[in-house]
Amino acid sequence: MMAIAAILVCAGCGPKRAPLAMLKEADEAFAARDYGRAAWLYHELKTAYPDSVTVRISLGFTYLKLGWLPYAGGEFSRALEISGRKNALAWLGLGMYYMRSDDWKLAMFCYGHARALDTQNPLVYMKLGMAYYQSREYANAAMNFTHAASLGNKSDALYALIGSCYERAAQWPLAVENYERAFAANKQNAEAARRLAVLYRDRFSNMRKAREYFQAFAKLDPERAKAVAETFEPRSGPLISNPVPFVAVAEPAETQQAAEAAAPAPAPPLSPAEKQARELADYYMRLGSRSVSNELPKDALRYFKQAVEKDPSRAYLNKEIAKIYEREFHDLNMAITYYEKYLEACRNNDEEFQASVAYVKKLREEYERIEGAERKRRLEEEERKRREEDERKRAEDERRRQAEARAAEEPETYDAAINRGAAMIASSQLEEARRYFQKAITINQAYPNAYYNLGLVYVMQTNFTDAIAYFQKALEKNPNYAESHLALGTVYDRLQQREAALEHFTTYLELAPNTSYADLVREWITRNAGAR
């Protein structure tokens, strides 16, 4: 923070200069590794031109050189916002920020965007390869390094790095192929010679080649060769017969012939079908790697599986498939299945293999723990459903019992149903009353009083529409049923339909002039005589 403050305080020092001159001076300071001055100049330019993507990216890379990671990340992020997330260099810088922060996954995400925007930049593939390498995804790392080499970066160091990736991925033929390219590009590459000696001895049992490369290694690095020669001897016999000055001693012709006979025969040339299968496998591997970078796990699974199907020698991809199942889909069962396929095909005793074995064991324990918890949950769920089903059956049995009890109590005659319904009205059990009156109608539909009584129940429930319908139904059964005319007149009066009420009240008086209600009806007619 003190250093940043010192640089920013200097922003007001000295006379103002032309932007192009300042930019040139900043670039020269950066090239001369004067990162403090470069940061000050780029910051001055950023203050004057806050929307300049170039200035912000340059300032971000300067902050990376100074080790000010949060400020670098901020400048790259702002450059992406200004550019609409379409600037490959800003994505590259943000990826470098995440690499420095040990966040390999986000670094791969950023480098993947940079690669999509700038497909011909070998630096992008190198950075993406390193991110995969750091996260131990060696197959993906090798593919990106190989692509960088195809774009012109054909150094022996890069080929050696590709060889190391394939060696860690247990793809021995490709490892040897790239180590040999490294050694052919630079005959002084002692490490490439040493790795070739080890691979030919341990993976191909080709002692003639192992001796050849170990003696080349001994010439380039005598002290180290002397130190490691003892570890070679128990497996293969002395690889160098004269440690000083490490000049090979000629072997008897019989020994050479025996070694050559013991060496495996060269692989037969590939058939056109095999070549096509390998090319398709390469294509699917690239698609799978790109899908991983673009966070498309389903596509990555499909492509990696197709690559293994086309070329079974790429069984190391099963490890990548297992990682996707574990990390993206949280499917531990499938992850364990593909880890075991990887271990079966790539069996060896190196440190990485043993770490993978231990990891799969840990993963299986975790799966069994989760599966045990899931089994317990399923059992509890089944028990809960069983209890609910038992409760439902008990409730159903109780409803059936009550229904049977009611059926046993059901009236069998019309009069009994009418009397039971009247009793229910008296106790304000209107629904039960309605049920009994409907039972009476079922027994005998010709009598009007059951319809009339149902109309009374609906009046008590203020359902005047159904009440009128049942009173009229009673009159259909018996037009001279006076009680229905009285009830209809009363309902129509409550509904302010005076003319209809007057009609039914008049009919009531004609049918029952001497009842207790007749005088009340006459009084109503006298008050509402103008309704006609």
Side-chain angles (χ1 to χ4, degrees), residues 240-514:
I240 48 175
S241 56
N242 185 8
V244 182
F246 288 94
V247 176
V249 176
E251 299 179 359
E254 295 81 359
T255 304
Q256 293 184 8
Q257 291 172 0
E260 291 174 359
L270 296 176
S271 67
E274 290 173 329
K275 287 183 180 179
Q276 184 180 11
R278 287 200 176 183
E279 289 173 0
L280 280 173
D282 288 337
Y283 171 69
Y284 287 131
M285 281 181 63
R286 288 194 296 272
L287 289 179
S289 176
R290 187 172 300 173
S291 298
V292 169
S293 300
N294 293 333
E295 298 187 338
L296 299 171
K298 288 184 179 179
D299 293 342
L301 277 179
R302 183 172 74 255
Y303 292 132
F304 283 146
K305 287 178 180 179
Q306 288 174 322
V308 176
E309 180 183 350
K310 294 296 180 183
D311 183 4
S313 69
R314 300 172 196 251
Y316 59 89
L317 287 176
N318 286 318
K319 186 175 182 180
E320 305 305 318
I321 296 171
K323 288 179 182 178
I324 295 172
Y325 273 120
E326 177 190 359
R327 298 173 184 176
E328 302 296 338
F329 298 104
H330 309 292
D331 189 338
L332 297 187
N333 188 30
M334 292 299 294
I336 291 170
T337 299
Y338 278 93
Y339 272 126
E340 288 177 342
K341 288 183 179 181
Y342 159 74
L343 294 176
E344 181 65 26
C346 305
R347 185 174 300 278
N348 57 68
N349 292 317
D350 63 15
E351 182 180 348
E352 182 185 358
F353 181 82
Q354 295 304 324
S356 296
V357 171
Y359 183 73
V360 173
K361 181 180 178 182
K362 179 181 176 183
L363 204 64
R364 187 179 291 108
E365 291 172 354
E366 177 68 9
Y367 172 72
E368 290 173 354
R369 182 188 67 78
I370 294 173
E371 184 64 18
E374 180 63 18
R375 279 197 300 271
K376 181 180 178 181
R377 187 196 66 78
R378 285 198 298 268
L379 290 174
E380 291 174 349
E381 181 67 15
E382 290 172 1
E383 178 65 18
R384 182 186 65 80
K385 289 181 178 179
R386 186 189 63 77
R387 289 196 301 268
E388 290 179 352
E389 181 64 17
D390 290 345
E391 184 62 28
R392 186 190 65 78
K393 288 181 178 178
R394 281 196 295 270
E396 184 66 27
D397 291 342
E398 179 63 19
R399 284 194 296 271
R400 188 181 299 108
R401 186 190 64 76
Q402 292 177 359
E404 291 172 352
R406 284 197 301 271
E409 297 174 358
E410 285 294 313
E412 297 181 358
T413 65
Y414 183 85
D415 290 340
I418 292 295
N419 292 336
R420 189 70 61 82
M424 293 297 105
I425 288 178
S427 61
S428 299
Q429 298 181 49
L430 300 182
E431 287 299 317
E432 285 295 307
R434 184 173 62 79
R435 188 173 65 81
Y436 283 119
F437 292 139
Q438 287 176 334
K439 176 68 175 179
I441 292 172
T442 303
I443 295 172
N444 191 338
Q445 299 180 11
Y447 292 155
N449 54 338
Y451 297 102
Y452 168 76
N453 288 336
L454 268 174
L456 291 180
V457 171
Y458 283 120
V459 167
M460 294 176 187
Q461 293 176 332
T462 67
N463 185 351
F464 298 122
T465 301
D466 287 341
I468 290 171
Y470 277 102
F471 290 144
Q472 290 176 339
K473 191 71 174 177
L475 291 176
E476 290 177 9
K477 302 300 179 181
N478 182 2
N480 295 324
Y481 196 72
E483 286 83 355
S484 281
H485 285 292
L486 177 63
L488 282 167
T490 304
V491 172
Y492 282 129
D493 179 40
R494 291 186 64 175
L495 296 175
Q496 302 295 315
Q497 299 180 29
R498 306 297 185 197
E499 186 172 350
L502 180 59
E503 178 183 348
H504 285 285
F505 280 145
T506 302
T507 304
Y508 174 75
L509 288 177
E510 292 172 356
L511 296 171
N514 299 319

Side-chain angles (χ1 to χ4, degrees), residues 19 25 48 74 89 92 115 125 142-143 169 181 194-195 230 235 348 412 428 448 473 520:
E25 186 177 348
L89 199 55
L92 183 65
R115 181 180 63 182
Y125 291 94
M143 284 187 290
R181 285 179 179 175
R194 187 181 75 85
R195 295 312 307 161
E230 294 178 358
R235 300 185 188 181
N348 57 68
E412 297 181 358
S428 299
K473 191 71 174 177
L520 296 174

Side-chain angles (χ1 to χ4, degrees), residues 177-195:
E177 178 183 339
N178 282 278
Y179 280 134
E180 287 184 334
R181 285 179 179 175
F183 192 68
N186 180 8
K187 295 294 186 179
Q188 302 301 310
N189 192 324
E191 183 61 19
R194 187 181 75 85
R195 295 312 307 161

Side-chain angles (χ1 to χ4, degrees), residues 193 196-198 200-201 205-219 232-233 235-241 248-251 255-256 259:
L196 283 166
V198 171
Y200 273 119
R201 181 198 64 186
S205 301
N206 188 336
M207 300 313 302
R208 182 175 62 81
K209 282 282 190 180
R211 289 175 179 277
E212 175 186 334
Y213 281 110
F214 191 84
Q215 289 175 2
F217 169 59
K219 291 178 181 178
F232 278 71
E233 290 178 6
R235 300 185 188 181
S236 60
L239 289 176
I240 48 175
S241 56
V249 176
E251 299 179 359
T255 304
Q256 293 184 8

